[in-house]
Structures are given as structure tokens and as C-alpha cells.
């Protein structure tokens, strides 16, 4: 649905969808609408009181009652100010409530996406949708929708009053109106396209900057500063050009609108003073001319503002279209399971599983193996053999193409997704830590895990001393992605994070492949503790872990080529594992 709106100047369907988010705040919505109506009603009070003051008091020099007129003018002004204050505040308040709810829905929806979605979507663009695009939607309420309604109502009231008072003078004021309406329409269409380009370039800019800042080490290691600077310069120029186009359209339209307004004033003054408009009996009074000049400005000013606010509305609509495109994206793992993964024994069975990240490019081929409860199983193989893919499939980050994965003799799909993943803890080779304290990175804000639980677990696996050696101990802030810690220290935090979650199934994905010898020993000791008594799958890289495994699965090109214990596999002459051991692991053992 959302994509179909981009070619239109305005999508009523999309607009209604945005308005649906105001339902929880309908009383505020109605109050803002009422304020807009009342503002329109009082818009003619001041011009009329000016006319009365001029024609009935100033020109004839009759000052009796003049104070009353001034008091009425002050009263009308105060009422208008109060209504304007209420209107602006609650329109903005409503907009902020709407985007808060919309942002929550978007974020919640994004967290349920398959990993495949994030594999193909730029992080910078998703950040743009969740932050700046949604903030732009707020302007629909604060500067677009209600302001336009208020201005339209003012125009209707002013025009009706003008016709009621003098239809001939009103026709004079409306001579240039068709030209203004045509110019406004052309302007709106041009700005719609311009704003689409602006949002596209903002998204590209955010994506580029986010990726380069994240990968700054690579940029500097390979001396790509100048190259990336030139690429950024090109993207930045496109961003500038997109905004300049909107400025160009504004610079054309608004002077034209001002010129038309000035022509209208000149016509009213000329005809009002020179031409007899009332059947030749009297010339138009000075106060009436002043009133019509003021009313014509109140008629044309909202028209100019409507064009401007329509730009704001259009920009908000473009942003909403992009946001709803993500919300409408159906990229979730099916969660139709009814079973709770409680008290799992940890039995795992892959039966004829096939999977590929890209269609017709299989990564796992007819894979079948069994892991008994409490076993530690190592999976080895060359890069690209499909080892890490098994972890992704076990946790249901991706859907298998065929076959079945069973946990405790039940299909993994039979379990509720959240419940299943709560029983599987994963320690990745590349540990991700949030810009937060060590304690929060361990518990991940789980209120059921206390600091005492964390300290006790840390002592058991031998990382308590390391944590306490840091400033503020468990309250030490590791900064973004854990940059304040070494690779080995981040791995130890990840082990502790997995341990305190008390999983039924533990997965270690080459968790010791990039750490120093001291950290490796700590990790090996921690591995012995956290794998004891629970089903564990180890994507193996270090020899010590492989030797202790109950079973070793050897993979090549997405298929199992050998299964057995360390000793059994070494006894196979010309075996895949034996060759791998002699080439890689034996060298490490000798070293």
C-alpha cells in the first residue's frame, strides 16, 4: 500500500492511517479542532472593529464610545492569543504522542524481523526511519494538518463575511485568486517530488556516515581517508542539491503570492475610492476599505501559509510512507508454537535439514545428526562449511527450507519463539556489548537476575577478580561495543552473560579463536564449568575444546563428512578430521 502513495500529490488512504493513531487522544484531537474553529470565528473581529473605530469615531471625530471599541479590540485580541496558545500547544502535544506510539510500534516490529532482513538492509536507513522520519511525521500535526484546517476555516469565514458586507468589493479582491490557486497547485506537485528526493538523500547520508564511523579502523588501516572523503563529498552534494531544489521552488512561489496580494490591495484601494460601487449613491467609506484590505490579507495569507504547510504535510506524508513501508514488511519468523520450552533436557535432532541464505544457493545440505541431553558436541570444518549456520537455525533466526529440527523430540516450531530462545544461550566469536555497565551487559536488564546472582556466577567461572580490577567493578561502563575492554575480556563477559541466563542449551561459536593465551585459559576454565551438565554445541577452533567433546561433527561444504570422538576420528587414515588436525591443530599443540 505504502509504495503506491509516492507518485500521488496526496494519499487520503495514508492520511487516514496516520490519523488512526490519534484515537487514544480523541479528546485532545477534538479540542484542537474546536480551537481551530474558534480561531476562524474571531479572525473577522479585529478588522470589523477597526472599521467601526475609523468610520464611526476617528473620521467624524466622535469619540464617545471609542473607549468601548478599544476595550472590545483588546478583548478580541486576548481571546485570539489564548486560543492560539492552546491550539499550538495541544497540536504539538498530540503530534508527539502519535510519533511516540508509532516509533514504539516500528521498533517492536523491527525487533521481530528475520536476520535475513538485516542482512540486506542498511543500518543507517533503518535508523533514519526510526528517528528522523518519524520526527518528521510529528510536523503533520504541529505544523501541517491542524494549521491547514485552521487556515481553511479562516478563509471560509473571511470570504463569507466579505460577500455578506459587499459582494462587489469581494469580487474585486478575488480577481487574482484563480492565478494563485493554479500557482499553488503547481508548487505542491513540484515540492512533493523535491521532498521525496530530500528524504532519499538524508537516508543515504545517514547510512554512509554510520557505516564509516563504525568501520573507521578499516578506513584508517587501509588509508582510505581521501577516498571516503570524496565519496562523502559526492553524497553530501546530492543532499545539498535536493534541499536547494526545495529552496528554489519556495523562492519562486512566495514572491508571486506576495505580488498577487499587493495587486489585490491596489485594486481595492483604487476601486474603493474612485468607483461608485453602491448604485452611484455613495463612495465606499474609508473604514470599509481598510477592513477589506485587512480581510484580503487574512484571505491571501492563509492561502500562502497553506501552500507552505502543505509542504510540511507532504514531507510528513513522504516520511510516513517510508515508515509504514517497514511496518508493512512481513519478514517475521512464524511464531505459531504453543509449547513452553521449560525444563528442557536438551536433546537436539536435525533431520534432513536443507537451508540457503540465498535461493538456489544451499549452505546446509540434507543435514542429519543427534545431540543427546548433557552432551558436548564440537562442530569443525573449513570456513564456509556451514558451522555457524547450524546455530542460526537452532535459534530460529532463519527458517529452514526443508527437513525438521527437533528439541526434546518436539519440532522447534512447536515451541513459542520467545520461550525457545530463552533456553538457548549463545556466545559468539565477535562479542557485542552495549554502551552500558558490565552488570547491565551481563543481565541485559533482566529484573530476575540480581547483582548477587551475577557475583556468585562470576566467582564460579573465575571472572570476578578481573571485573573487580576495573574502575567501579560491575558498574564500569564499557562504552560503545565494549571498546574499553580487550577481546578476551569481552569474551569473558559474554560467558558470564550466558551462564547467568541458566540455559538448557549452550552454544559457543569459536569463542576462543581471537584471544590471548591468558584469556584463553580463563575461557577454557569457564567453558568447563558452564558446559557441565547441559547440552553444549561448540563451533571448534582450539584443540583443548575439541579433545574434551563427547562427539565431533566434521563438516565440509554444508554436509557431514565424519562423526566421532577425537580419538576415533584420529584413527581414520586419510580422514578429513585427521588431515585438519595435522595441518592446523597439531601445529598449535606443538607451539
Amino acid at each position: 500500500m505504502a509504495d503506491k502513495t509516492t507518485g500521488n500529490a496526496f494519499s487520503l488512504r495514508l492520511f487516514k492511517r496516520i490519523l488512526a493513531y490519534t484515537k487514544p487522544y480523541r479528546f485532545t484531537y477534538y479540542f484542537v479542532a474546536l480551537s481551530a474553529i474558534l480561531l476562524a470565528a474571531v479572525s473577522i473581529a479585529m478588522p470589523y472593529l477597526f472599521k467601526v473605530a475609523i468610520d464611526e469615531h476617528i473620521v467624524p471625530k466622535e469619540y464617545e464610545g471609542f473607549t468601548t471599541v478599544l476595550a472590545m479590540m483588546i478583548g478580541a485580541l486576548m481571546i485570539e492569543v489564548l486560543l492560539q496558545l492552546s491550539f499550538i500547544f495541544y497540536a504539538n502535544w498530540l503530534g508527539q504522542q502519535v510519533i511516540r506510539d508509532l516509533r514504539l510500534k516500528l521498533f517492536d516490529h523491527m525487533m521481530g524481523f528475520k536476520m535475513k532482513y538485516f542482512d540486506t538492509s542498511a543500518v543507517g536507513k533503518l535508523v533514519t526511519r526510526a528517528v528522523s522520519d518519524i520526527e518528521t511525521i510529528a510536523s503533520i500535526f504541529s505544523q501541517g494538518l491542524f494549521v491547514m484546517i485552521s487556515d481553511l476555516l479562516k478563509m471560509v469565514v473571511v470570504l463569507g463575511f466579505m460577500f455578506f458586507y459587499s459582494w462587489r468589493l469581494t469580487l474585486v479582491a478575488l480577481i487574482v485568486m484563480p492565478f494563485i490557486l493554479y500557482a499553488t497547485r503547481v508548487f505542491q506537485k513540484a515540492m512533493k517530488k523535491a521532498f521525496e528526493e530530500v528524504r532519499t538523500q538524508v537516508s543515504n547520508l545517514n547510512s554512509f556516515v554510520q557505516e564509516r564511523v563504525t568501520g573507521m579502523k578499516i578506513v584508517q588501516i587501509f588509508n582510505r581517508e581521501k577516498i571516503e572523503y570524496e565519496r562523502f563529498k559526492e553524497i553530501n552534494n546530492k543532499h545539498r542539491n535536493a534541499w536547494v531544489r526545495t529552496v528554489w521552488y519556495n523562492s519562486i512561489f512566495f514572491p508571486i503570492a506576495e505580488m498577487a496580494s499587493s495587486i489585490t490591495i491596489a485594486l481595492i484601494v483604487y476601486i474603493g475610492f474612485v468607483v461608485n460601487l453602491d448604485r452611484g449613491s455613495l463612495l465606499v467609506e474609508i473604514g470599509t476599505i481598510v477592513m477589506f484590505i485587512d480581510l484580503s490579507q487574512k484571505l491571501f495569507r492563509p492561502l500562502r501559509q497553506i501552500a507552505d504547510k502543505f509542504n510540511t504535510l507532504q514531507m510528513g506524508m513522504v516520511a510516513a510512507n517510508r515508515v509504514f513501508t517497514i511496518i508493512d514488511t512481513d519478514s517475521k519468523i512464524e511464531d505459531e508454537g504453543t509449547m513452553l520450552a521449560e525444563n528442557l533436557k536438551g536433546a537436539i535432532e536435525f533431520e534432513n535439514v536443507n537451508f540457503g541464505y540465498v535461493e538456489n544457493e544451499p549452505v546446509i545440505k540434507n543435514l542429519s545428526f543427534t545431540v543427546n541431553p548433557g552432551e558436548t558436541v564440537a562442530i569443525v570444518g573449513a570456513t564456509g562449511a556451514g558451522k555457524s549456520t547450524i546455530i542460526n537455525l537452532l535459534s530460529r533466526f532463519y527458517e529452514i527450507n526443508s527437513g525438521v529440527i527437533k528439541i526434546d523430540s518436539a519440532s522447534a516450531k512447536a515451541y513459542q519463539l520467545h520461550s525457545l530462545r530463552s533456553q538457548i544461550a549463545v556466545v559468539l566469536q565477535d562479542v557485542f556489548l552495549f554502551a552500558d555497565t558490565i552488570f547491565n551487559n551481563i543481565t541485559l536488564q533482566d529484573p530476575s537476575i540480581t547483582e548477587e546472582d551475577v557475583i556468585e556466577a562470576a566467582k564460579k567461572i573465575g571472572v570476578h577478580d578481573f571485573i573487580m580490577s576495573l574502575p567501579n567493578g560491575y558498574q564500569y561502563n564499557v562504552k560503545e561495543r565494549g571498546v574499553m575492554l580487550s577481546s578476551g575480556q569481552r569474551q569473558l563477559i559474554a560467558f558470564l552473560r550466558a551462564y547467568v541466563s541458566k540455559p538448557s542449551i549452550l552454544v559457543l561459536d569459536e569463542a576462543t579463536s581471537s584471544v590471548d593465551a591468558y584469556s584463553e585459559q580463563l575461557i577454557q576454565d569457564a567453558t568447563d564449568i558452564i558446559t557441565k551438565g547441559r547440552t553444549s554445541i561448540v563451533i571448534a577452533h582450539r584443540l583443548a575444546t575439541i579433545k574434551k567433546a563427547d562427539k565431533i561433527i566434521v563438516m565440509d561444504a554444508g554436509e557431514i563428512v565424519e562423526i566421532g570422538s577425537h580419538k576415533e576420528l584420529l584413527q581414520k587414515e586419510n580422514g578429513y578430521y585427521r588431515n585438519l588436525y595435522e595441518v592446523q591443530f597439531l601445529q598449535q599443540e606443538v607451539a
Side-chain angles (χ1 to χ4, degrees), residues 184-292:
T184 301
R185 180 61 176 169
V186 173
F187 178 65
Q188 290 168 354
K189 288 184 177 181
M191 290 301 288
K192 175 64 164 56
K193 294 181 180 179
F195 281 138
E196 286 178 358
E197 179 64 18
V198 166
R199 299 316 302 169
T200 297
Q201 295 306 325
V202 167
S203 180
N204 291 339
L205 192 64
N206 287 346
S207 180
F208 184 89
V209 172
Q210 188 273 335
E211 287 182 350
R212 270 60 190 179
V213 171
T214 302
M216 187 57 68
K217 184 179 291 185
I218 298 299
V219 172
Q220 294 184 357
I221 287 175
F222 290 94
N223 295 315
R224 290 185 57 85
E225 291 91 341
K226 290 184 178 179
I227 296 175
E228 297 301 338
Y229 172 77
E230 291 300 323
R231 293 184 63 188
F232 178 78
K233 187 176 179 180
E234 179 181 354
I235 294 174
N236 196 37
N237 284 339
K238 290 180 178 179
H239 177 262
R240 178 207 60 191
N241 293 339
W243 274 110
V244 167
R245 194 172 295 113
T246 67
V247 174
W248 168 246
Y249 293 144
N250 278 295
S251 64
I252 293 176
F253 174 77
F254 287 103
I256 291 175
E258 288 294 335
M259 180 180 67
S261 177
S262 300
I263 291 174
T264 300
I265 294 173
L267 288 172
I268 291 173
V269 171
Y270 175 76
I271 295 177
F273 278 109
V274 177
V275 181
N276 189 337
L277 295 177
D278 194 14
R279 297 183 180 179
S281 57
L282 290 171
L283 292 175
V284 176
E285 296 173 326
I286 296 176
T288 301
I289 294 192
V290 172
M291 180 180 70
F292 264 78

Side-chain angles (χ1 to χ4, degrees), residues 19-34 90 93-94 97-98 101 141 146:
L19 285 184
Y21 284 86
T22 65
K23 288 183 179 179
Y25 317 103
R26 57 184 178 274
F27 293 114
T28 303
Y29 178 85
Y30 294 145
F31 177 78
V32 174
L34 178 62
Y90 285 105
W93 183 89
L94 182 62
Q97 300 303 314
V98 167
D101 295 346
F141 299 93
F146 291 115

